[in-house]
Amino acid sequence: MNFIEKAERKSRGRAILFYLLAITLLASAILAIGTHSEGAARLAPWFVMIGLTALNLTSLPFHGKACGEVSKLMNDETTRDHRRSSFAAGFWAMFAAATATMIVAALWPLSAIDISRVIITAGLMAALVAFATLELRASR
């Protein structure tokens, strides 16, 4: 198996992982809404999860001297374009989620943590799903 085939296989695996991360984020947000025992210890795992998820959406894991030939192929021009498009999708999803939570909060009281969790989850999910979809579509 040459470098190109390895990069294509890893790119498909990354896309599937991103779909699974999106489902995990959604499940985490649904299970946490309305829990009143929010504290630093309870929020820390969620912050770690969203931080690592957001980091995976960037090209940072593919930079540096340890970056091999396969990593360079996985971060080609098409992937960078998909990344930009997924960030745009995440922005608009956050905008829509912020507007929706503002309307809902006018009718029912929501905590700032719940609102933040909905907005961040919506943006990250949209970016993950958009990136994964574009990558899988390009691999066909």
Side-chain angles (χ1 to χ4, degrees):
M1 183 180 299
N2 63 19
F3 288 128
I4 295 172
E5 291 169 345
K6 285 181 185 177
E8 287 177 358
R9 177 175 283 164
K10 285 188 174 192
S11 291
R12 283 191 297 274
R14 177 178 57 190
I16 293 168
L17 175 68
F18 280 8
Y19 281 129
L20 294 174
L21 280 171
I23 292 168
T24 303
L25 280 171
L26 180 62
S28 172
I30 289 171
L31 293 173
I33 294 293
T35 59
H36 299 292
S37 60
E38 302 291 345
R42 180 122 164 113
L43 288 174
W46 188 74
F47 278 125
V48 170
M49 183 173 64
I50 63 168
L52 292 174
T53 301
L55 180 66
N56 276 315
L57 278 169
T58 68
S59 62
L60 290 178
F62 300 103
H63 287 273
K65 293 182 180 178
C67 180
E69 198 64 35
V70 174
S71 294
K72 289 178 184 174
L73 288 171
M74 287 178 66
N75 193 35
D76 63 356
E77 186 176 323
T78 303
T79 301
R80 288 191 297 269
D81 186 48
H82 293 166
R83 193 171 282 121
R84 279 189 294 274
S85 297
S86 70
F87 286 154
F91 168 79
W92 288 110
M94 283 187 174
F95 183 81
T99 304
T101 55
M102 186 185 307
I103 293 167
V104 171
L107 303 172
W108 296 285
L110 293 173
S111 71
I113 292 173
D114 288 343
I115 291 171
S116 300
R117 191 181 303 255
V118 167
I119 293 169
I120 292 170
T121 300
L124 276 176
M125 278 185 60
L128 287 167
V129 169
F131 184 79
T133 302
L134 290 168
E135 284 288 293
L136 287 177
R137 207 178 286 161
S139 71
R140 290 183 194 172

